[in-house]
Amino acid sequence: MSTYSPNGVRQLPATVNEPVRSYAPGSPERASLQSRLKAMEGDRPDIAVVVNGEEIRRGKATNAVSPHKHQHVTATWHHATADDVRRAIDTGKEAWKEWSEWTWEERAAVFLKAADLLAGPWRDTINAATMLGQSKTVYQSEIDAACEMTDFFRFNVAFARELCAEQPISGPGMWNQSEYRALEGFVYAVTPFNFTAIGGNLPTAPALMGNVVLWKPASSAMLSAWYTLQLLHEAGLPKGVINFVPGDPALISDIALKHRDLAGVHFTGSTGVFNSMWSTIGQNMANYRSYPRIVGETGGKDFILAHPSADVQAFAVACIRGAFEYQGQKCSAASRIYVPKSLWPEVKARMVAMIDEIKMGDVNDFSNFMGAVIDQKAFDRITGYLADAKANATIIAGGKADGSTGWFVGPTLVETKDPNYRLMCEEIFGPILTAYVYDDAKWDETLRVVDATSPYALTGAVFAQDRAAVKQAHAALRHAAGNFYINDKCTGAVVGQQPFGGARASGTNDKAGSKLNLTRWVNARTVKETFVPAKDYKYPHMG
Ligand code: NAD
């Protein structure tokens, strides 16, 4: 590679959030996406392991299906073998030698181009893959796969520039500099099924900073992950910088996490899996070349709390959207609500009316508000919670599930008299919202209950018109959520606007899509140059 590095302190193209398209009837984007959906329903890509640009199809093959139509196969994907994983780590090491030496601007160009490809010619493909493979409605797919992923690519570049511009001061006679080196080794990126954008962000954020990445995608989001990889290659990502290793997570992790060159883990998924990865790393501390950076954004038990002064309609809508969009399968999804006795009859009536109206079905039908939950395992887990609610609480609305053609679970509102009932504490990751009704006089006590009920602290919201109540909740719930909303639903964080991540058992809170996250993928070197060095060892006080 040439070491030519042209002079220039560069500006970036304007960094703005990708506008969300409406897909309203008659709009050109609707017609274009519908024709892409039709074409892709007939496709059945043969998804490979990709190591150093080479497509490998020798491991076990598994079918990926549409959750809303589980007889429909969307793709076949091949599992990485232990050998493939080792080779991916080895070739990554080779790719690192060149990639880590590129200037940040050269790497940035790859991701800025990926952003423009995604916002333009690739938009329909990535949206269609997310709809067919993960059962997102058009709007849920658009805000995730198209807009959030584009935003991650563009904003991370802007944050990388800001980080590189952070330089120390220099006293007279010297020049101090900070150099943001790539980590020595590889970063292991393990991504969840529920956001295509997270699938794109976890491998690319470390890659932007000069690292090489071993990417293990979620088996239930294989279609969108595959197209994301193709998009990155079209944008000019060099071979071997991100190696793609779908397959058995235990087998892949066993090799990756114990490898001497493990430099970092970039994980999003459940708390239990992250804990097990952290503990494997702990047991292998003596083997690593450097201390691995461990970044994990994990589960949630997200709340919405209404004060007696809350606007009832706004609160009810926030609960419906927050709890049931994408079938409640967002880490930020509202899962427990606290409602004062004085408002409950009205809140309940409005929510029941909305739930009765909600349409659920095949996401190819754009009039649906909900699709299916991701797989049989999720269906069984969520219906298990429904059975518990039937036995131990009151189902106010919904409560139905049907797994015959797709894994459909209807939006459900449960009421409990026990603030510590398991549906108030455990992450369900499905469309079940549990309400606890409190005495209006017990606002202070309720704030303490909200704070102490679950081990998680991801998102939360308060609805109140009374400013003093907002101020009080703001303070009392300081550690109960990493993303806190006032008079808004607890989902829908936008890159650059609400940096995302939670505390406690919800993760390391390195705020995906922010400068804080990028700092984890660099190892800063400080360089001091003295122009005229001392020539005498003695100090004046010795005279
Ligand atoms: P998951 O933990 O089941 O899987 C996440 C990834 O980990 C997948 O790629 C999976 O194959 C892999 N994995 C599973 N077992 C593993 C093992 N033993 N070793 C290594 N990797 C393993 O989570 P999911 O069902 O894909 O996603 C849902 C979870 O993710 C929820 O708990 C949700 O709250 C969380 N989530 C959190 C955030 C956040 O920002 N905090 C965002 C999205 C999702």
Side-chain angles (χ1 to χ4, degrees), residues 397-457:
K400 297 198 181 63
D402 179 356
S404 52
T405 50
W407 293 295
F408 289 107
V409 182
T412 300
L413 178 62
V414 174
E415 184 185 350
T416 179
K417 303 273 179 233
D418 174 6
N420 293 313
Y421 174 44
R422 53 187 288 245
L423 271 72
M424 294 297 285
C425 312
E426 297 171 20
E427 184 177 52
I428 299 170
F429 223 59
I432 303 179
L433 179 64
T434 307
Y436 174 72
V437 179
Y438 69 90
D439 276 341
D440 290 43
K442 293 194 170 162
W443 165 251
D444 290 9
E445 190 183 319
T446 304
L447 284 170
R448 285 193 292 275
V449 168
V450 173
D451 182 51
T453 298
S454 110
Y456 302 107

Side-chain angles (χ1 to χ4, degrees), residues 190-194 267-278 295-300 331 377 381 427-429 456 458 505-507:
V190 180
T191 58
F193 81 84
N194 68 333
F267 174 82
T268 296
S270 54
T271 300
V273 169
F274 186 52
N275 291 353
S276 77
M277 293 171 84
W278 193 307
V295 174
E297 303 307 335
T298 56
C331 48
K377 201 169 134 213
R381 186 188 64 240
E427 184 177 52
I428 299 170
F429 223 59
Y456 302 107
L458 190 48
S506 291

Side-chain angles (χ1 to χ4, degrees), residues 9 37 54-55 88 90 102 136 218 235 264 272 283 294 322 344 434 481 497 518:
V9 178
L37 275 166
E54 186 197 336
E55 297 191 355
D90 289 345
W102 283 29
K136 290 210 170 189
Q283 284 155 20
I294 311 175
W344 180 233
T434 307
Q497 299 194 31
L518 298 186

Side-chain angles (χ1 to χ4, degrees), residues 21 38 83 134 172 188 211 262 299 306 322 402 409 433 460 516 535:
R21 294 185 181 167
K38 214 168 185 178
D83 258 8
Q134 289 138 269
Y188 182 35
N211 298 283
L262 179 76
D402 179 356
V409 182
L433 179 64
L516 289 177
K535 298 279 175 61

